[in-house]
Amino acid sequence: MEVRSDGIPVRCDKIPAPVIPRTRLQVWFIRVCSSILVWTCLVQLVAVGELWHPHLFSNVTNRMKLLPLRVEEAAPSPPPLLPATKLAFQICDMVAVARLLNLTLVVPELDKKSFWADPSNFEDIFDVKHFIDSLRDEVRIVRRLPKRFNRKHGHKPLEMPPVSWSNENFYMQQILPLFQKHRVLHFNKTDARLANNGLPLYLQKLRCRVNFQALRFTPQIETLGHKLVRILQEKGPFVALHLRYEMDMLSFSGCTRGCTEVEADELKRMRYAYIWWRDKEIDSELRRSQGLCPLTPEEATLVLQALGFDKNTQIYIAAGEIYGSEWRLAALRAAFPRTVRKEMLLAPEELQQFQNHSSQMAALDFMVSVASNTFIPTYDGNMAKVVEGHRRYLGFKRTILLDRKKLVGLLDLHQNGSLSWDEFAVAVQVAHQKRMGQPSRRIVVPDKPKEEDYFYANPEECLCEGTTRDDLFSSGNSTKLG
């Protein structure tokens, strides 16, 4: 057979084959089938594309107008933290913003390009259905951006970061008018974008509701977290030690106490490898003297002993990989033989599903830290703040907030022989008598929000359902050492 230029097949002997004329019905049928085939291919391509690039947008919408939200785990100057804890801050704030502006929140997309390279999505960490349903009477939340506002349909959202520590006037006067023109906003930075103080009570109460009720971990995380807590509790009371002597923390802060020269150089190279972490030359010892460094494992060991914890104390290390690996924990384990980590309490196959997912691993440590008899952070990053706030909410469970600036001075005096052990222990205990998680008013510093107490560390508005603030902060309501 041959094919003519008009596409009709002919025999090799040039005798034309009979041509059957097409009826209108046949033409219509062919066109319908072709259309179905094309659309089926298109849908499949879109589905494949979603697998490659899931949730290209995460947004907040107002009926017909949308305010996209993308939770970034790495801000221009990323704070030292475990990723999952920072997410809670940002999500609570953006729910409050959506409520203030009468918008609809789209389930946020998590940043995949941060230092932790965590591929987790929102639904891998939090129970999405519970999140949406529990806030239904306050804020409309949808899982994804409606197609008509998608880039594929020619809609280009305005991308912008809100101003840090902003109150409701900023959002009402500066952000809301942008919807008249753009209809879609993409918040590409959402860390600390809502003020600690000065907000209407209903917004603060909403932040409480999101933080303590709506943000529930997935069943897989909850099940394993509860198992960890149960294993620890069956062995008696335990201390959760948030030991922030981790590579990212040390690199970002420039703190190298306890490191060799080779390790210090490695940490510096790492800091300069990330554009958003670059800083002027950091004086590690100066930062330490200012209380801006996490305690080393050796320093933490001495502080725990000075606070009165003995060798029978069960200690759970809530942290990622300690820099320098297991040998850096030698002093801690020698002083406290009952020191454990989740890897020691669970079978490898139980943790397998969370491997290379730092946010999900952090969620397990968060659950254990909240449930512990005593929580002690060696650095006051976001992990410490959010755990502190949850423990206040649960009845002011003991949280020892270390005064690092005072401690490093005492540690140096003891280690150079100027302060005996008994003198050192007494000084440490006296310094922390009022830093045990007792009820206290949130510190407000006008025009200096970074120096204030964070709302999530001391959420006063969440604590007064059955009492007045004066009753809550009365001098008789306190926690003692011991």
Side-chain angles (χ1 to χ4, degrees), residues 50-288:
E50 286 294 309
L51 290 175
W52 289 342
H53 301 286
H55 310 301
L56 292 177
F57 293 97
S58 298
N59 328 286
V60 184
T61 73
N62 174 17
R63 297 178 183 174
M64 296 299 294
K65 301 175 183 178
L66 299 108
L67 170 63
L69 160 65
R70 180 175 180 177
V71 176
E72 297 284 344
E73 291 183 5
S77 297
L81 74 154
L82 291 171
T85 61
K86 184 175 177 180
L87 301 182
F89 282 23
Q90 300 175 69
I91 294 166
C92 294
D93 283 358
M94 291 300 105
V95 170
V97 170
R99 173 66 177 83
L100 172 67
L101 301 181
N102 191 27
L103 305 174
T104 300
L105 176 68
V106 176
V107 172
E109 177 188 351
L110 310 186
D111 179 32
K112 306 293 194 305
K113 299 178 181 179
S114 66
F115 163 79
W116 300 278
D118 187 345
S120 300
N121 292 313
F122 183 95
E123 60 269 24
D124 296 321
I125 303 170
F126 301 108
D127 185 330
V128 180
K129 186 177 186 303
H130 176 76
F131 176 65
I132 294 173
D133 292 344
S134 62
L135 296 171
R136 192 178 301 279
D137 62 338
E138 289 271 12
V139 180
R140 181 170 180 259
I141 303 174
V142 295
R143 289 178 179 263
R144 57 184 57 86
L145 182 67
K147 289 183 178 180
R148 64 183 180 278
F149 295 108
N150 202 305
R151 286 182 186 269
K152 297 175 183 177
H153 287 73
H155 192 93
K156 185 177 181 180
L158 173 64
E159 299 196 11
M160 62 171 292
V163 176
S164 298
W165 312 109
S166 297
N167 60 24
E168 76 273 21
N169 290 333
F170 166 77
Y171 287 99
M172 294 296 292
Q173 297 171 11
Q174 303 295 323
I175 298 298
L176 191 57
L178 293 174
F179 287 98
Q180 302 298 327
K181 179 179 180 180
H182 300 282
R183 305 188 72 192
V184 175
L185 294 185
H186 181 177
F187 281 178
N188 51 21
K189 295 288 186 297
T190 53
D191 183 37
R193 305 297 159 157
L194 196 60
N196 289 312
N197 303 292
L199 296 176
L201 183 60
Y202 81 91
L203 283 183
Q204 298 289 58
K205 288 284 189 179
L206 178 57
R207 290 165 104 178
C208 301
R209 184 174 173 183
V210 180
N211 195 30
F212 299 115
Q213 298 176 29
L215 284 177
R216 187 168 69 187
F217 293 126
T218 63
Q220 294 83 359
I221 293 175
E222 294 248 323
T223 298
L224 203 56
H226 287 313
K227 181 176 181 178
L228 270 173
V229 172
R230 186 173 64 254
I231 292 172
L232 289 161
Q233 290 177 338
E234 287 174 351
K235 298 178 181 179
F238 69 96
V239 174
L241 179 66
H242 186 216
L243 191 60
R244 282 299 274 130
Y245 199 79
E246 298 157 306
M247 190 174 189
D248 63 299
M249 171 70 241
L250 299 176
S251 178
F252 166 69
S253 65
C255 297
T256 56
R257 169 60 71 105
C259 297
T260 64
E261 287 189 15
V262 173
E263 290 173 331
D265 288 341
E266 180 183 41
L267 294 172
K268 184 176 180 179
R269 288 196 305 273
M270 175 182 169
R271 185 170 72 251
Y272 277 81
Y274 289 85
I275 297 175
W276 51 89
W277 280 7
R278 291 180 183 176
D279 200 350
K280 59 185 177 182
E281 196 69 22
I282 296 177
D283 186 330
S284 174
E285 288 304 306
L286 177 61
R287 289 184 64 86
R288 177 177 177 272

Side-chain angles (χ1 to χ4, degrees), residues 23 29 61 113 174 203 254 279 287 333 342 354 356 372 384-385 424 431 455 468:
T23 66
F29 181 79
T61 73
K113 299 178 181 179
Q174 303 295 323
L203 283 183
D279 200 350
R287 289 184 64 86
R333 292 195 185 282
K342 53 184 170 292
F354 303 119
N356 302 318
S372 64
K385 290 181 173 67
F424 171 71
F455 170 84
T468 66

Side-chain angles (χ1 to χ4, degrees), residues 327-476:
W327 75 269
R328 288 310 308 263
L329 297 175
L332 182 65
R333 292 195 185 282
F336 301 99
R338 298 181 66 198
T339 296
V340 296
R341 307 182 63 175
K342 53 184 170 292
E343 292 82 0
M344 299 171 61
L345 301 177
L346 298 172
E349 56 269 20
E350 292 179 291
L351 284 172
Q352 182 62 40
Q353 60 183 316
F354 303 119
Q355 293 299 329
N356 302 318
H357 294 81
S358 55
S359 293
Q360 297 175 55
M361 285 290 202
L364 295 174
D365 284 338
F366 172 84
M367 290 184 65
V368 175
S369 297
V370 169
S372 64
N373 298 88
T374 303
F375 174 65
I376 306 177
T378 61
Y379 189 84
D380 58 353
N382 286 342
M383 172 70 168
K385 290 181 173 67
V386 73
V387 172
E388 177 190 353
H390 272 70
R391 292 174 67 82
R392 286 177 179 274
Y393 181 75
L394 294 173
F396 301 97
K397 300 175 70 174
R398 187 163 71 161
T399 302
I400 304 179
L401 304 173
L402 300 181
D403 185 340
R404 293 187 308 282
K405 185 174 182 180
K406 185 168 291 186
L407 279 175
V408 294
L410 293 174
L411 284 162
D412 289 346
L413 288 173
H414 171 61
Q415 291 177 323
N416 68 22
S418 301
L419 206 62
S420 69
W421 172 255
D422 289 342
E423 292 171 325
F424 171 71
V426 169
V428 169
Q429 292 184 30
V430 169
H432 293 88
Q433 284 181 342
K434 296 183 179 181
R435 300 176 64 90
M436 308 291 290
Q438 303 98 322
S440 61
R441 293 189 182 276
R442 193 166 61 236
I443 296 174
V444 179
V445 184
D447 302 321
K448 295 183 179 180
K450 290 184 179 181
E451 298 178 17
E452 296 180 334
D453 286 344
Y454 277 29
F455 170 84
Y456 297 101
N458 189 4
E460 291 181 11
E461 294 84 350
C462 310
L463 311 176
C464 304
E465 292 298 333
T467 184
T468 66
R469 290 193 184 192
D470 289 338
D471 291 336
L472 186 63
F473 303 128
S474 63
S475 58

Side-chain angles (χ1 to χ4, degrees), residues 302-309 376 400 402 425 428-429 432 481-482:
L302 292 174
V303 170
L304 286 172
Q305 290 175 315
L307 286 170
F309 296 103
I376 306 177
I400 304 179
L402 300 181
V428 169
Q429 292 184 30
H432 293 88
L481 283 164

